[in-house]
Each structure stands twice: as structure tokens, then as C-alpha cells.
Amino acid sequence: MRRLRTELALGFRLAFAGGRHGAVRIAMVASAVAIGTAALLLAASVPTMLDARQSRSEARGDNTAGEDRPAGRTVVVAAVEAGWHGDDIRGRLLWPDAPGAPRPPGVPAFPGDHQMYASPALQAALAGPDGGTLRRQMPYRVVGTIGPDGLSGPRELAYYAGYPRVRDRLGQGSWRVDRFGYPAVEEIGDGPYILSVTVLVTLLLPIVILLGAALRFGTDRRDRRLAAIRLIGADHRAVLRIALGESLVATGFGLAGGVALYLSARERAAAFDLLGFSVYPADVRPVPVLALATVVGVLALSAAMAVLGFRGVSIEPLGVFRQAAHWRGRLWWRLILPVAGVALLYPAILGLPDVPEDRTGLGVLLLLVSLIPILPYLVPAVARLLPHGPASWQLASEQLRRNPAGSTRAVTGIVVAVAGAIALQTFFAAAANRAVDSDDPGGPAFLVQFTGRQTPAAMRHRSALFEQVGGVTAGTVAQYVVYDPGNPVPEFVIVGDCAALSQVAALSRCADGDAFTTGGPRRSVTLDAGGSDPAPGARIAVPHDARRAALIGPYLANAGPSVLLTPAAATAVPPDVDPEFVDTGIFTSKEPAAVAGQLRGVAAEIDPLALFTSLAPETDFYAPLGSALTVGLALLLLMMAVGLLLDVAARLGERRRVLGVLAAIGARRSTVVWSVLLQAIAPVLSGLALASGVGAGLGALLMRMSAVPVRFDAPAILGPAAAGAGLALATTVVVLLPAAGWVTRTDKLRYE
Amino acid sequence: MSALLVAEGLHKAYGKTVALAAADLAVRAGEIVSVMGPSGSGKSTLLHCAAGLTRPGAGLVRYAGQDLAQLTDVRRSALRRREFGFVFQFGQLVPELTAVQNVALPLRLDGVSRRAAERRAAGWMDRLGLADKAAARPGELSGGEQQRVAVARALVGGPKVIFADEPTGALDSVAGEQVMDLLNDAARDTGAAVVLVTHDSRVAAYADRGIVVRDGRSFDPAGVR
Amino acid sequence: MTMRSTFLALLEGQAQHGYDLKRAYDQHFGRSRPVAYGQVYTALAKLLRGGFVTVEPGEGDGGPDRKIYKITEAGVTDVQRWLDEPEDPEQYLQSSLYAKVISALLTGRSAAAVLDVQREKHLEAMRELTRRKRTGDLADRIICDHALFHLDADLRWLEHTATVLHELAGQVRR
Ligand SMILES: Nc1ncnc2c1ncn2[C@@H]1O[C@H](COP(=O)(O)OP(=O)(O)OP(=O)(O)O)[C@@H](O)[C@H]1O
Ligand SMILES: [Mg+2]
């Protein structure tokens, strides 16, 4: 026991007293461990975050699933699903039936008429630039702030407004609740969880590679030291324990740093909002078991890597012996991973429906990871294929062929990162392209639906209100449902003036009094009486001269054979029958996102309960992911660069003697420097070529799976590749230039 | 008196290079035996084989009745800590540790508490005239001082055999003589045997007897006549 | 002593006339100072009397200088004894050691053994000196050191000669 303690302590001492080399080594290992620990702790906290969010969302749940509650100590609520710059706004209009009615969580008192409690993020948005446009959507006076227990997260946009008229709209947008806390019908799902865990785990791969590079740095020095200790009586296992003790120091620092990093990330957690998902710092707590697993896992990983570092090295009392492991450039086992990956992805490649996502995810992961063993095979093959060149290339190619694993180790991380980045970037670029050209260029960009009947004049007026927004044309139609039980496709009677009708159907010519049918001529239709259950209502005759027409735009997708009537032809529609909706289709010649805010304001002013639908995406859904990826890639490449730096420096140190001898026998300095440079460049270039190919293939696959037309964006491929290449070269040159002096000095040889 | 350490018929080849062809070495308790011979003749190889640091291709090494080749690494390592001491030409001290810690290291590796180990180490440092250098790191010591630290470390565990390979090889004659005087006195006082590989006949003259290695073969010149 | 033994060694290599013996001696040992005829014949006469050599009449005219001297069994043994006996470690012994080395080579014996025996004798002396030095006072030490350094120089020469024996053998036998 004491011996074990002594050996570990000796390792500690060696770690601390290692001079400049040792300090660099500790710093590198510690930072790699710190980043990894922080990432893992965050991943371990995701379940808690989701649970907290889920329980808060449920506590305010007001979805009675259509059940009617009798009036009493109840509240009438109406949902206003507004939106701002692509983020949803959760709005509730409410008015209590009785003084003691239940209040939603986070709201201290019922807001009075046209008063509201708003979330901090919404208040900030209202106070921010263009807040006036947003305010039109919620023209209520802010009287307080919704507390954290009433919000799903700190960045959520939400408000509760007092609005007495909701009592008039029961069954038509508003409903009665006797409590808050109905279970949410729609779950948030595993989407964000899988996404965040994937991102964090993907981050771990390069971290492990960096950790490996850091642990390898300066090992030859340490090994010589250990050999000296072997001589005076340490056995194999003792040496291993000393090395473990040494690596534990750095790992310990790293763990501490990781916890600090995690805590500071937690502190700032409230500032982040990804895909409408934000968390309170207090919710960022690791699941205890997972936190423990993280600590144990990191320690175990670092210990395992330290032990693995002794693979092929034997520390003997007389010195360090490296088994010059004969390079077995066998191909077959290197192909297992990519073949398995392609096999998993096969259905997705064929475009078969219903491919489980985890299968595809695993396939992508395998394909990316498979680059790691392929690269050491590829590089010597390339070195063999290239013609014999000058002496510097001969030296470099010889070294590449003899020690491919060592030569490619450092660039592997960069290659994997670049391949992943290329895949995602090409996908995002294609997705962004699609976002810009909307699904259906002929259809309206927005559809606003109101309840309640409207006269033709009022409908024209409503269109005009929307057209006050520049660059917008609008048409309003009333839409009645046809009673036809047994027919799953809804049929409509649509009433509107010629201008409005021509926006929902292709009409050859139109004058007031005309009638049209789609899907075949018919004599009459029975309107649905309305209410929650279908019931036959008024029967109206279809004029004899009704002409054929075809629905266009969003109606095409969800309507069966329908009847279109101009106001003069619609006199048969009884005035006491409510339309299902009064729809205003809005077309714009501008970017939809540019006018969305104002149009929502107009709609809210007409009726706060209007249903506003963006048919063209207001924002690029993947844009925040794309920029997150760019930042992530930059960080990743930076870490890789550090790893590469260490590796090149370490390799130079190892080869120093040989290079010195070369210089001593009269090789020109440029020859020596070029040979080292070429030795670094060749793996980088072949690796990046491989990465571009695999990345582009994966990108195409992602596009296929997301029904995005396959197209390649040159910057998306060349960007990461160029960044990787540039970084690798810059790093190598940074190490080489100052080293060029001493590497070729012969006077140091004596001491080696 | 029978020999404490016996090496017989040692043979060792590195690839095509034959380092030892037929080498013998017998060391009785407490005696100093010099090993001389031209460069590359196999002296160091013989010493390494005798100390169990290198496994001979053929032949037998017995220490206190046990065949070194039969021992596990753990047992051989324990032997190095407790029964053997080593003084090499250079590069044997751990640069990160102070002189006294270096000397205490074999004891610490053997499980002796830090306090006890460093006390004993300090005693040896004193004896070797290094009392004021205890806290210095090897890099701050002269070559002769480093070798004396190495001698102290070789002696601290109370070894039965000290293996010294060119212990004065990197020193001038004055420093070399000082190291040899100290090693000689300490070994005679503690009754440790010394195997002394050297080129220098003035160093070999400290020995009780000597053997010569030539082309991997050893012989005892005193026995030729 | 040395000349007498070297004559024996030369005769062991080849039986020859007194005149040839002188020539051979001059070639191997007498570089700077050729031996006189008289010394050769005196020495041969002594060896003859001691039974170390015999004389065979030469073919030709039968003059005294035409006799062929041949080594006897006792002569060979004497050469061996001479080579086996190390010289006392003293200064300037290279002339006699050199004579021994060449003689060993000439007679096909092991010159290395000659050197080894001498080495051991030297080392023994050095060990003794080192012991004395370690127990003596400063004056003793200085005196011992003087002797030690000289012996050390001799030993180096021995060591060095040992490494060129092969080459030397080639030259001597030519
Ligand atoms: N690890 C090794 N690998 C290959 N050859 C070796 C190794 N160690 C020794 N040799 C060879 O074995 C022979 C004997 O080496 P050894 O070191 O024993 O000689 P030495 O007598 O100690 O020489 P020196 O006086 O120069 O130290 C030499 O020819 C050497 O080249
Ligand atoms: Mg040696």
C-alpha cells in the first residue's frame, strides 16, 4: 500500500518537476480533459434540463383536449400563437369567471383588461429594435413579469393578457379551464436531446484525439526517466503506476478545470437559445449517476490512454526499447467500419421511407470514424504512387512509408472534423437554398384565418387592411364546410369576390354572379351546421351555369371537390350559418420575413385570436445550427491545431538526431526542412481529399433524407478543407521555422 | 569461500554482432573485481548479464544460489533494490528529484517511509562529502558530485554487490580518484562486493583482482601462468 | 639475458648460420645498434655449452662461420620460460618487452599471452601501490602516485600493443 502511494507520489513529483516540457504537457492534457469533462457534464445535465422544462411546461398546461368545463371557479383562456423573427410566442388571453379562479404558474395576479404579464425575453424584444411592430401583435400594457416557474426557459417569449372578450369566443378559439397543469398533449420529444448529445459526443472524439496527442508529448523524455528508475529497482508495474501518477496530476487539473468550465457555462446558460430551447442555470444540474460516471470515465480514459502509451514500448533498466512494430498495411480490417457504415446507411441512400434515425445516425458516425484507420493506409499508398523526386521528398516519403501511423496520427482529427463539417455545411447550404425559394412560388406567403361571419364588403375591407403593408396583395374568402360524413377529405363552399377567388383557384374569367365547381359538376351541397360534431345544415343549390375550375395554392392540398361562389351567387347561403373560417391569403413580392412582423400586427389588431400561418419559411430553420457549426468547427480546428503542433514538435524532437546527422554530412538546410515539411503536408492533403469525398457523400445523403434537392455548394466543401489545410500548414511552419536552426546544428549531436 | 555471484559460459549476440562468446565471472562476497578489456570487447554486456539487466543467449548467472534467468521481473527488480547497487558512467540520476531524494529513491521504491528513507540517504550523503548538496538537483551538481550521489544511492540499500560501469569515465583524474576512494572505502566498510568495469588501470588498481575480456571471452590473467 | 633469449627464439624459428643470425637479429631488434659478430659467437658458444643449441657442419668449405646452429629441446623450453616470466614492473622496460613480443611472434607463440602476463604483473604492482597509498601519509601518496602514473603509462602501451598485434605479426613474418 505504501509502495503504491510512493509510486503515485513519485509520478506526481515527476509531473510537477518536468520543466518547460512538463508544464506544456500538463497544460495540454489538462485542457483537453477540461473540455471533455465540461462537455460530458453538460451532456449529463441534459436530462435534468429537459425534465425541469417538461415539468414547468406541464404545470402551466391548459390543454383540456377539447373537454368542456362548466363555469365556476374557472378561467376562460384563448391561445395566441404569435411569432417574432422565427421564434414562437406563447400568448394566452384570459379572463376569470370568478374571483378565486386558478392562476397560471408564474403569474401573481390576473391581468386586467388589456394588461399583460410578459416574459423577460418578450419584454426585451418589445423594448428592442422594431419593438413597435411586435407591440402591434400584443397591444397590451405590461403590468408584470412572468416568473420562472411559468416559463419553459429564460429565453421563452410568452405573455398572459387580460381580455374579457374571450368569454364571447368559447368554442371558437377560447375554452374554459378549472386548473392549470393539464398534461401536455404534444411532448417536446427526443429531438433536442438527441441533437445536443450528438453534438457533445461528436465533440468528444477530437478531444480524445487531442488528449492522445497531449499525452504523447514529451513521453520519450519521461520514458528515459522511468528507465533510470527501473535500474534502481522499480518493476514493470511500478513504472506503470508512476506514469499513471504522473498523468493523474494533469487529469486532476483537467477535471477541476472542466468543473469550472461547466460552472461558468452553466452561469451563462440563460443567454443561449437554440431552436427555441433555453434553460435556467438552476436547471443545469448533472444527473448524479452520470456526473459520477463522467468523473470516473474521464479518469479511466486518461489512465487507459497513459497505459496505451506504453504499447510497443518497453521500459527496461538499460533504456527504452521501442519495438519497431513492423507496419502491417493490411487493408481488410480497415474496411470493416466503412462497409458497416454504408450497410447501415443503405436504405437511406436508396431513399426508402421510415428508416430509423438512430440507424442512420450510427451509420454516419461509423463512416466518419472509419476515416481514422483508413488514413494510415492511404498515406503510404500515396507516397508509393508519387514519383521519386528530389532528396527531400525521398526522405519524407521513406518516413511516411515506414511509420504511417505516427505520421498521420495528428491529422486524423482534422480529417474527421473536416469531413463532418463538410457533410453538415453542404446540407445546410442546400437547406438554406430551399428556404429562400418557397415550396410553392404561386401560392400565398401567409394565410390568416378568422372565425365569425363577414359580409363581402367587410372581407374586402379586411384585405385592404393587409394591403396597407407595402408590397403585399391579399384576398379574403369565407370558407364553409360541406356536410359529407364518410368522406375523409373535407369539401368546401368558398365565397369571395373575383379577385379573392382567383387567388384560390385558376379561373378562366370571372364576374360577380359566377359560380365554379372543382372536381366535377354537382347539383347541390349540404352545409355543415357547425359545432363540434358534424350535423347536416342548410342545403344550397349549385347554379346550373357553374363552370369548372381548379384549386391552387394551399387549398389544393387539403380540399376535396368544392364549390366556389361569387357574392352575387352566394345569396343561397343562409346568413345565420357561420363559415368555418374566413381566410385571408397574403402574397408578397418581398422577403416574407421582412413583412411577417407587420402582417401579424395587422392580424392581431383585427382579431387577437386570428390564426396566422407562415406558408413560406420566415427564417432559415437551419441557420442557427449552421453558425453554431461554424463556431464549433473553428474551436475544433483550433484544438486539432494544438494537437498537431505538439505532434510535429515531438516528431521533430525524435528525428532531431537523424536530421542533425544529415546536416552534418552536408545536406542543405533547405533539403532537411523541406523533407519535414513534405512529411507533414502529404498526410494533410491526402486526408483532406478523403474528407472532402466522404463529407460530400454524407452531405448528399443528408439532403436526400431531408427531402432537400441534392446540390453541392463549392464554398461549403472547400471552406472546411481549406481551413483544415491552412491550419495544418500554418502549424507545421510555425514549429519548423524556429526549429530549422537547431535541427540542423551539428554541435548538439555530441550530447544526444 | 564460495562465490556470491557466478556467471558461467555467457553468450550474447545482438543480431550478427557477438558481444559475449564465452564469458565467466565469479564474485566472492566483499571483494572488488575489475573487468578490463578493449572497447567493444563485451565488458558492459558481461556486467549487464551478471546483474540480470540483460538476458544472456546462453549460460547461467547465479546470485546467492538463485538462477537470475528464472526470476520474474518483480523478483529481479526487488533484487536490484535490495541486493544490488549501480553506478554507471552518467545519466542515471532522475533530474526532477533533488540529490537526497535521488539517494532515497531505492528505499522509497521498497516501501520505506519518506522520513526514514531521507534520513538514511542524508547519512550517506554526509559520508560522501555531499552534506551541503542535499537539496541540489542533479543539473546543479558537477560531474564528480553527481557520481558521488550515484555512489551514495548505490550504497543506501545496503547492497551485497555494486555494479560499476566506468564510474569515473566522465571525470578527470582527481575527481575520479575521489569517487573511487569513497566507493572503495564504503564498499570495504559495508562488505559489499564490487564489479568494476573500467578502462583505467589506476581505477582497476582499487580491485583485489581483475579479469580481462577480449572479443567476448573473459579470462583471469592471474590464472594463465 | 635478453639477447641470449632472442637468439634462441630466432633459432627456434629457423636453424641458421651465425652470420644469418646476426642479420636477423639486426633486422628485428638491432635497428639503432647492430650487434657485433663477436657478441654473437660468444653468446652462441655459451648456448652450445649449456646444451640449448647444437651445431651441424655446414655443407660448403667448413669454415667456422659456416656452421649451422640448431635449437635443442632444452632451448625451446628456455624460450618458453623466458616468455612466461613477466618483467619486473620498472621503467623503460619496453626494450625487453618488445623483444619478447617479437620473439613470440617469430616463434608462432601467443604474443597476447605475453602481454597479458605482463599486464597482470603490472596491475598487481599497481594494486599494491594503491593499497600502500591508501594507508600512507601524503608523502607516501605522492611517491606512489608517481609510480602509479608510470605503470599506468606502461599498461596503456601494453593495451595498445595488444590491439595491433595482428598487424605486427604480419610484418614480422614477412
Ligand atoms: N544493445 C545492443 N545492440 C546491438 N549491439 C550491441 C548492444 N550492446 C552492445 N552491443 C555490441 O556488443 C559488443 C560489446 O559491447 P559492450 O558494450 O559490452 O562493449 P564494452 O566492452 O563495454 O565497450 P566499451 O569499453 O566501449 O564500453 C559491441 O560490439 C557492441 O557494438
Ligand atoms: Mg561499456
Side-chain angles (χ1 to χ4, degrees):
Chain A
M1 212 28 354
R2 180 186 270 170
R3 275 184 57 188
L4 178 69
R5 266 216 322 271
T6 308
E7 284 153 7
L8 289 179
L10 190 58
F12 280 30
R13 271 213 65 96
L14 292 185
F16 278 115
R20 203 156 47 92
H21 255 75
V24 171
R25 186 176 149 85
I26 292 187
M28 290 316 308
V29 174
S31 36
V33 169
I35 299 171
T37 307
L40 279 175
L41 283 177
L42 281 175
S45 306
V46 169
T48 339
M49 293 192 264
L50 289 180
D51 280 355
R53 182 191 149 99
Q54 178 80 17
S55 67
R56 278 198 308 270
S57 298
E58 270 184 15
R60 70 183 184 186
D62 52 14
N63 192 336
T64 57
E67 258 180 78
D68 282 333
R69 305 277 152 177
R73 286 159 65 94
T74 49
V75 196
V76 180
V77 297
V80 184
E81 304 296 352
W84 183 240
H85 291 327
D87 289 323
D88 289 335
I89 301 174
R90 182 184 193 267
R92 287 292 184 273
L93 306 181
L94 34 80
W95 199 255
D97 287 316
R103 267 181 287 113
V107 179
F110 278 108
D113 189 9
H114 276 74
Q115 296 182 339
M116 69 170 170
Y117 286 88
S119 71
L122 181 59
Q123 292 185 29
L126 284 170
D130 208 16
T133 311
L134 178 60
R135 173 152 285 282
R136 289 179 70 183
Q137 290 188 50
M138 49 211 71
Y140 317 108
R141 198 160 55 83
V142 177
V143 293
T145 305
I146 306 177
D149 35 335
L151 297 172
S152 73
R155 309 287 295 173
E156 189 183 33
L157 301 170
Y159 66 89
Y160 289 101
Y163 196 77
R165 276 169 53 204
V166 285
R167 287 173 301 178
D168 309 336
R169 304 283 293 271
L170 279 164
Q172 278 186 318
S174 68
W175 67 96
R176 199 164 250 135
V177 297
D178 54 357
R179 64 188 166 96
F180 288 90
Y182 286 94
V185 171
E186 43 139 18
E187 303 261 325
I188 14 174
D190 290 340
Y193 180 70
I194 291 179
L195 182 75
S196 41
V197 169
T198 312
V199 168
L200 291 170
V201 169
T202 327
L203 198 65
L204 281 182
L205 180 67
I207 287 173
V208 169
I209 293 174
L210 175 63
L211 183 62
L215 278 174
R216 254 191 321 275
F217 183 73
T219 38
D220 38 342
R221 217 169 240 271
R222 180 203 59 188
D223 291 350
R224 280 202 298 273
R225 218 122 291 171
L226 290 177
I229 294 174
R230 276 282 272 146
L231 178 65
I232 52 172
D235 52 45
H236 272 304
R237 280 173 294 170
V239 158
L240 208 60
R241 287 191 291 259
I242 293 170
L244 273 185
E246 194 225 3
S247 79
L248 273 181
V249 171
T251 311
F253 280 134
L255 273 177
V259 171
L261 207 62
Y262 167 74
L263 289 179
S264 81
R266 178 176 186 263
E267 199 86 318
R268 288 167 183 71
F272 293 103
D273 175 17
L274 189 64
L275 302 179
F277 186 93
S278 64
V279 292
Y280 287 104
D283 295 340
V284 185
R285 274 172 291 124
V287 178
V289 178
L290 294 182
L292 189 70
T294 298
V295 173
V296 172
V298 166
L299 284 174
L301 178 72
S302 152
M305 303 224 16
V307 172
L308 272 185
F310 282 113
R311 213 181 23 173
V313 178
S314 119
I315 313 276
E316 294 298 327
L318 292 178
V320 185
F321 295 94
R322 272 164 229 290
Q323 280 114 37
H326 180 59
W327 169 248
R328 276 189 302 281
R330 289 237 203 84
L331 186 57
W332 67 266
W333 65 266
R334 295 166 201 279
L335 289 179
I336 294 177
L337 277 181
V339 166
V342 170
L344 285 174
L345 290 176
Y346 193 60
I349 294 171
L350 287 187
L352 299 182
D354 296 332
V355 184
E357 277 174 14
D358 37 1
R359 171 173 182 162
T360 313
L362 188 66
V364 171
L365 199 69
L366 280 185
L367 220 50
L368 283 180
V369 171
S370 72
L371 290 175
I372 297 174
I374 287 184
L375 202 55
Y377 185 83
L378 181 74
V379 168
V382 169
R384 245 192 310 275
L385 285 183
L386 289 182
H388 297 291
S392 52
W393 169 243
Q394 191 194 342
L395 288 169
S397 123
E398 186 60 30
Q399 189 61 22
L400 285 176
R401 270 184 271 175
R402 263 220 310 265
N403 186 6
S407 317
T408 53
R409 213 157 36 196
V411 284
T412 314
I414 292 187
V415 168
V416 172
V418 166
I422 288 176
L424 290 173
Q425 293 282 33
T426 47
F427 169 66
F428 290 148
N433 264 319
R434 186 181 71 143
V436 171
D437 25 276
S438 121
D439 284 344
D440 179 5
F446 304 99
L447 187 66
V448 192
Q449 298 181 301
F450 303 89
T451 52
R453 71 191 82 117
Q454 295 287 323
T455 65
M459 293 201 288
R460 255 195 308 279
H461 175 64
R462 184 162 287 178
S463 302
L465 283 177
F466 283 106
E467 283 175 351
Q468 281 170 4
V469 177
V472 160
T473 55
T476 305
V477 296
Q479 178 190 322
Y480 297 84
V481 180
V482 172
Y483 177 73
D484 188 2
N487 187 353
V489 185
E491 299 161 27
F492 295 107
V493 171
I494 297 170
V495 180
D497 59 21
C498 278
L501 283 184
S502 64
Q503 290 181 352
V504 301
L507 310 174
S508 46
R509 63 195 149 76
C510 175
D512 200 13
D514 285 355
F516 305 89
T517 60
T518 69
R522 55 208 302 181
R523 315 226 81 151
S524 66
V525 289
T526 307
L527 294 185
D528 194 293
S532 39
D533 294 319
R539 208 182 140 75
I540 50 175
V542 177
H544 302 294
D545 55 352
R547 299 200 304 276
R548 294 291 311 280
L551 288 174
I552 56 172
Y555 289 90
L556 185 63
N558 55 11
S562 297
V563 177
L564 310 177
L565 302 171
T566 50
T571 45
V573 177
D576 59 337
V577 175
D578 275 347
E580 172 84 352
F581 283 115
V582 175
D583 293 356
T584 305
I586 300 171
F587 297 77
T588 177
S589 54
K590 296 191 177 170
E591 275 293 300
V595 292
Q598 295 177 63
L599 291 172
R600 281 178 187 276
V602 174
E605 278 166 5
I606 296 169
D607 180 357
L609 299 185
L611 298 173
F612 191 99
T613 311
S614 293
L615 297 173
E618 280 175 48
T619 50
D620 178 5
F621 179 74
Y622 295 107
L625 274 185
S627 42
L629 182 78
T630 310
V631 174
L633 181 69
L635 281 176
L636 219 85
L637 285 179
L638 218 61
M639 284 193 318
M640 296 289 120
V642 176
L644 187 67
L645 201 81
L646 293 181
D647 203 82
V648 173
R651 251 188 308 143
L652 213 57
E654 277 168 30
R655 306 258 299 135
R656 181 178 177 167
R657 202 184 152 75
V658 178
L659 296 176
V661 168
L662 277 178
I665 59 169
R668 255 171 303 155
R669 175 174 296 185
S670 65
T671 306
V672 173
V673 171
W674 266 111
S675 84
V676 179
L677 199 60
L678 285 172
Q679 205 185 315
I681 293 177
V684 170
L685 290 188
S686 16
L688 288 179
L690 185 67
S692 305
V694 171
L698 282 177
L701 183 72
L702 281 173
M703 292 178 220
R704 225 185 144 127
M705 282 168 53
S706 310
V708 174
V710 175
R711 58 192 280 178
F712 289 104
D713 187 56
I717 297 181
L718 296 181
L727 205 66
L729 290 188
T731 325
T732 311
V733 168
V734 161
V735 180
L736 262 186
L737 282 190
W742 59 256
V743 132
T744 48
R745 267 210 322 257
T746 46
D747 52 351
K748 285 259 170 70
L749 272 182
R750 202 153 60 84
Y751 300 111
E752 296 283 316
Chain B
M1 197 159 72
S2 76
L4 177 65
L5 178 73
V6 183
E8 280 170 351
L10 296 187
H11 189 279
K12 176 80 188 172
Y14 294 104
K16 286 198 185 106
T17 313
V18 177
L20 288 181
D24 305 323
L25 175 71
V27 183
R28 286 183 288 270
E31 74 170 347
I32 301 183
V33 180
S34 68
V35 179
M36 296 189 77
S39 193
S41 58
K43 304 182 295 291
S44 297
T45 308
L46 174 60
L47 178 126
H48 294 157
C49 288
L53 302 176
T54 301
R55 192 180 285 266
L60 188 70
V61 182
R62 297 180 76 80
Y63 170 76
Q66 27 188 0
D67 178 358
L68 287 192
Q70 302 291 323
L71 298 184
T72 60
D73 172 58
V74 174
R75 297 279 309 282
R76 272 201 305 272
S77 298
L79 217 55
R80 287 200 299 278
R81 287 196 301 273
R82 295 172 195 156
E83 312 271 312
F84 295 170
F86 294 90
V87 184
F88 285 176
Q89 188 169 352
F90 47 66
Q92 53 203 319
L93 300 180
V94 182
E96 283 86 356
L97 303 181
T98 62
V100 72
Q101 284 165 345
N102 259 293
V103 175
L105 197 51
L107 299 176
R108 301 275 287 125
L109 287 173
D110 210 25
V112 176
S113 80
R114 179 173 180 155
R115 190 116 58 76
E118 292 194 357
R119 206 172 41 235
R120 265 162 75 185
W124 276 107
M125 298 274 295
D126 250 3
R127 234 192 116 163
L128 293 179
L130 292 164
D132 53 338
K133 300 288 183 189
R137 289 179 205 277
E140 301 155 6
L141 296 175
S142 75
E145 286 162 348
Q146 288 184 29
Q147 285 309 84
R148 279 187 277 151
V149 173
V151 170
R153 194 176 66 181
L155 286 159
V156 76
K160 301 278 189 298
V161 187
I162 294 173
F163 295 92
D165 192 351
E166 309 278 10
T168 62
L171 307 179
D172 69 13
S173 68
V174 177
E177 195 168 312
Q178 191 183 14
V179 167
M180 279 316 299
D181 282 348
L182 291 166
L183 175 61
N184 180 72
D185 291 353
R188 306 251 181 233
D189 288 354
T190 58
V194 181
V195 179
L196 182 59
V197 169
T198 182
H199 275 117
D200 186 345
S201 45
R202 288 179 352 99
V203 170
Y206 283 88
D208 300 309
R209 60 190 186 87
I211 65 163
V212 174
V213 181
R214 200 160 282 150
D215 294 333
R217 293 165 197 282
S218 71
F219 56 94
D220 187 345
V224 167
R225 243 182 305 170
Chain C
M1 189 65 188
T2 304
M3 194 189 291
R4 165 184 174 275
S5 299
T6 49
F7 284 159
L8 272 179
L10 286 170
L11 287 177
E12 187 183 334
Q14 190 181 9
Q16 49 196 316
H17 301 291
Y19 175 74
D20 292 335
L21 192 61
K22 173 200 151 43
R23 291 266 304 274
Y25 183 91
D26 284 350
Q27 184 198 335
H28 290 302
F29 308 105
R31 296 249 157 117
S32 48
R33 206 149 46 88
V35 67
Y37 275 110
Q39 277 177 292
V40 177
Y41 286 109
T42 324
L44 282 174
K46 270 188 182 167
L47 288 172
L48 203 56
R49 242 177 287 131
F52 297 110
V53 293
T54 54
V55 180
E56 287 179 9
E59 59 274 27
D61 38 27
D65 55 342
R66 294 284 56 176
K67 279 186 226 153
I68 289 176
Y69 293 87
K70 199 175 169 191
I71 196 162
T72 62
E73 205 54 41
V76 172
T77 312
D78 192 65
V79 169
Q80 186 63 52
R81 204 177 52 239
W82 174 61
L83 288 179
D84 284 349
E85 189 67 33
E87 301 291 313
D88 278 341
E90 58 189 20
Q91 287 174 38
Y92 314 119
L93 79 176
Q94 81 279 22
S95 55
S96 50
L97 257 183
Y98 176 73
K100 279 191 179 173
V101 168
I102 300 298
S103 301
L105 291 176
L106 282 172
T107 56
R109 290 183 168 89
S110 165
V114 171
L115 293 175
D116 281 337
V117 168
Q118 190 59 49
R119 271 181 93 264
E120 183 56 19
K121 183 84 181 175
H122 265 66
L123 259 180
E124 190 52 58
M126 285 181 79
R127 287 188 199 116
E128 179 54 38
L129 282 166
T130 303
R131 269 194 291 276
R132 255 172 54 200
K133 171 179 149 186
R134 305 220 14 84
T135 51
D137 58 13
L138 189 59
D140 278 338
R141 293 187 60 168
I142 290 172
I143 292 164
C144 290
D145 267 338
H146 182 262
L148 278 169
F149 277 114
H150 278 286
L151 290 174
D152 185 42
D154 279 350
L155 266 172
R156 278 172 211 234
W157 176 82
L158 282 171
E159 208 63 74
H160 181 75
T161 307
T163 60
V164 297
L165 276 181
H166 194 68
E167 225 175 313
L168 192 60
Q171 277 187 19
V172 167
R173 299 223 179 88
R174 214 159 356 118

